[in-house]
Amino acid sequence: MPTVHDVARLAGVSTATVSHVINKTKRVSPKTTQQVQIAITQLNFVPNPLGRLLALRKIAPPSLLPSLRTSTNHARPTASDESTAQDRSLLTVLTQTDGRLRSISGASNETTRAMLRMVRVAQPISRADLARRLQVHRSTITEMVKPLVASGLLREAAPARPREGAGRSSIGLSFREERSFFIGVNIGVRRSQVCAALVDGEILGEESFDTPEDSKVALAQVRAGVDRLRASLSGRAISAIGVSVPGPVNAARTHLLFGPQLGWRDVAVANALRIENPSPAQILNREVPVVVENDATAAALYERGRLLARNSKGEFSDFVLVRVGTGIGVGLVLGGAVYRGTGAGRGLPGEFGHMTIVAGGKPCVCGNRGCWERYASAASAASLYAGERLHARGGSHLRFVDIVAKAEAGETRARVTLERIGDYLGIGIGNIISGLGIPRIVVSGRIVFGWRFIEDSLRDAVARTMVGRLATWSIEAGEPTGSGLGGALEVAIEQHLTSIVTQLRPAE
């Protein structure tokens, strides 16, 4: 049975936009309305009557509620239906008392996390603005905020946005964590970085070094960097450590299973970085949580925050992050949250860089042939530019930025090389859109430095595919740098916010 999320993905819009089109609760452009209506027709989607009542802020007579809960379809709920119910933004049933609507329960954990994320990127932000962006009742925001302000995590700040004319300005909410900080670790194929930062992203200290070939040596250097940063910030406690690694991780997010570009297998990253805080009263846990995440998934978290910060409407559509550097990794963001797979597959999604796009093609470090990243990564540009044989003999030491510089200077060979990279990149992106059904793509990493020479051939390659001709899709450039370390920090902060939410109790 199709859900509103399925309609949103097919139409390439947010679930909130689908709701506005169905319920006519907000003006939506004719073009977007048509996209949604076409998706509804193709999926044969039937709106949930209870959801419609909630969206319209109406309530059915109590006698009708049981029939609405069972609906006319008595089939067993699917996993998608159950997930939708668990992640519903407002877990309330509205009752009518003396002609007024009131909320009789709190918000879901995911809504609370979404609220905290929004405070991070838009602080100071008023309760009213939070309610508008998250599309929940202001009373729900107040209920969520009370224990957070009481605990000292959030504080009332300066006016979020000065008002013109008479009346008081809205008081904004912001994070208040003077006694703690976060550690981000980016283990890259060439360079690794360690940094300390506050919850709002302010960097307190940073170190970097060439990544050693031996995993034990590399982790020892990372640990030494963490210890030095910790010693320099002795008045604060570490809330969490996030580690970004170039390969898939295990379900518990403690081990790097395989780093093909590094040749590392089953590396116990979290164990090597475990430490304890000396003052447990200041933080949630004495033992500092260490979370290991695939670099593309971490980068997707980073891009999510960047996109959320610039979107004042609060609506958030699903997107796929394609991170292109030495290799290619893919991160999925669905409903504002990163998707990591389920069961034994948690931590494994996103390894599209090693899908075959040329049968029997160039050998890849993963052991396969014809992998996408052997043709479309920033690292593959040197071999395309110099020729495979010359490159294999060490005849070319060009970096990707060198080739971009040559293209900008007008060199034809460099421009043709980048156009071919764009073509190969578009082939893989077309496969991703077709396979996942998510039409919004964000491309980040070093490849973005050559975007002006790559974009046209990339789009042409996607347009040649069936999905390129039938669906509405979008491709945009993300950040060329920063998502590795920034993503690692996002992993740490996300872990911290999740810990906060799980320890919250409903306000009395």
Side-chain angles (χ1 to χ4, degrees):
M1 181 178 179
T3 68
V4 69
H5 292 277
D6 299 323
V7 175
R9 287 170 192 163
L10 181 59
V13 300
S14 69
T15 53
T17 299
V18 174
S19 177
H20 289 318
V21 170
I22 294 172
N23 302 305
K24 296 181 173 59
T25 50
K26 186 177 178 180
R27 187 182 180 280
V28 180
S29 70
K31 180 179 178 181
T32 302
T33 299
Q34 184 180 26
Q35 289 176 212
V36 173
Q37 290 172 340
I38 291 173
I40 289 173
T41 301
Q42 290 179 349
L43 294 172
N44 196 26
F45 171 74
V46 179
N48 183 314
L50 180 56
R52 179 175 172 82
L53 290 171
L54 289 171
L56 294 172
R57 301 297 189 263
K58 295 180 179 180
I59 189 64
S63 60
L64 181 58
L65 286 177
S67 63
L68 289 178
R69 291 191 190 103
T70 57
S71 185
T72 57
N73 187 341
H74 299 284
R76 184 177 179 179
T78 65
S80 176
D81 296 332
E82 292 171 356
S83 174
T84 301
Q86 292 169 358
D87 292 339
R88 191 172 313 237
S89 295
L90 185 62
L91 298 182
T92 64
V93 175
L94 301 177
T95 61
Q96 195 154 8
T97 307
D98 300 328
R100 298 177 184 177
L101 296 177
R102 64 183 180 87
S103 171
I104 61 172
S105 70
S108 70
N109 285 351
E110 182 53 40
T111 302
T112 305
R113 278 193 291 270
M115 184 271 291
L116 291 172
R117 293 173 193 144
M118 189 68 72
V119 172
R120 280 193 62 226
V121 300
Q123 60 184 326
I125 182 171
S126 70
R127 290 180 173 86
D129 202 10
L130 279 172
R132 179 183 61 79
R133 292 194 186 199
L134 297 175
Q135 299 188 338
V136 299
H137 279 196
R138 186 170 175 176
S139 61
T140 302
I141 297 295
T142 298
E143 180 182 338
M144 287 189 287
V145 163
K146 277 183 181 178
L148 299 172
V149 172
S151 68
L153 177 70
L154 297 182
R155 63 180 171 184
E156 305 285 353
R161 190 179 298 130
R163 289 183 180 178
E164 296 181 1
R168 294 186 303 169
S169 297
S170 299
I171 299 299
L173 292 162
S174 62
F175 274 90
R176 179 178 184 176
E177 291 200 88
E178 296 91 346
R179 297 176 299 177
S180 63
F181 66 99
F182 300 86
I183 292 288
V185 178
N186 175 44
I187 299 178
V189 175
R190 297 176 179 176
R191 295 279 294 175
S192 293
Q193 303 157 289
V194 183
C195 84
L198 298 178
V199 69
D200 63 0
E202 179 186 348
I203 302 296
L204 302 176
E206 182 178 346
E207 296 185 10
S208 65
F209 53 89
D210 290 336
T211 305
E213 293 183 4
D214 185 273
S215 62
K216 292 182 180 179
V217 175
L219 290 177
Q221 285 192 233
V222 169
R223 178 58 187 263
V226 171
D227 290 341
R228 283 191 292 271
L229 289 172
R230 185 186 181 199
S232 69
L233 300 166
S234 57
R236 301 172 183 263
I238 302 176
S239 292
I241 298 174
V243 187
S244 171
V245 295
V249 300
N250 65 333
R253 291 193 286 166
T254 59
H255 289 58
L256 168 63
L257 296 177
F258 180 36
Q261 297 284 353
L262 291 170
W264 296 359
R265 288 183 180 273
D266 196 24
V267 180
V269 178
N271 286 339
L273 301 180
R274 295 216 182 275
I275 59 177
E276 290 189 353
N277 278 309
S279 305
Q282 297 181 354
I283 56 172
L284 291 172
N285 300 297
R286 183 184 183 97
E287 184 175 284
V288 179
V290 181
V291 183
V292 184
E293 190 63 271
N294 170 264
D295 57 1
T297 301
L301 281 170
Y302 176 81
E303 287 292 338
R304 179 193 66 184
R306 189 181 69 86
L307 295 174
L308 192 60
R310 74 185 194 191
N311 187 351
S312 60
K313 295 181 180 180
E315 298 182 1
F316 200 92
S317 62
D318 301 339
F319 73 92
V320 178
L321 186 282
V322 179
R323 186 169 186 253
V324 189
T326 304
I328 296 179
V330 172
L332 312 180
V333 176
L334 307 177
V338 295
Y339 179 73
R340 296 185 175 91
T342 58
R346 287 186 67 84
L348 297 179
E351 289 303 316
F352 287 93
H354 296 286
M355 66 178 170
T356 301
I357 66 166
V358 178
K362 301 174 186 178
C364 181
V365 291
C366 74
N368 189 21
R369 281 184 171 272
C371 289
W372 187 26
E373 70 176 37
R374 280 293 281 118
Y375 292 84
S377 66
S380 67
S383 62
L384 281 173
Y385 179 86
E388 198 69 32
R389 292 182 180 179
L390 178 61
H391 183 68
R393 294 198 303 267
S396 173
H397 300 285
L398 284 176
R399 299 172 301 164
F400 182 73
V401 290
D402 296 329
I403 296 173
V404 173
K406 288 177 178 292
E408 288 176 341
E411 185 183 286
T412 300
R413 187 180 187 87
R415 292 192 173 192
V416 170
T417 295
L418 296 177
E419 288 170 2
R420 289 183 63 192
I421 291 287
D423 190 46
Y424 285 127
L425 194 56
I427 291 171
I429 287 176
N431 291 343
I432 289 172
I433 297 174
S434 299
L436 299 178
I438 301 175
R440 185 182 186 185
I441 307 293
V442 178
V443 180
S444 75
R446 279 186 290 138
I447 202 76
V448 176
F449 285 124
W451 191 249
R452 61 174 286 211
F453 304 105
I454 290 170
E455 183 180 9
D456 287 348
S457 57
L458 187 161
R459 293 183 182 278
D460 288 345
V462 175
R464 289 196 301 267
T465 67
M466 183 180 71
V467 71
R469 296 192 301 272
L470 297 180
T472 300
W473 45 272
S474 68
I475 300 173
E476 59 193 281
E479 294 294 306
T481 61
S483 62
L485 191 57
L489 283 170
E490 288 297 318
V491 169
I493 295 170
E494 186 79 3
Q495 167 63 30
H496 181 59
L497 298 185
T498 298
S499 297
I500 291 169
V501 170
T502 57
Q503 295 191 30
L504 285 177
R505 295 291 181 268
E508 298 296 336

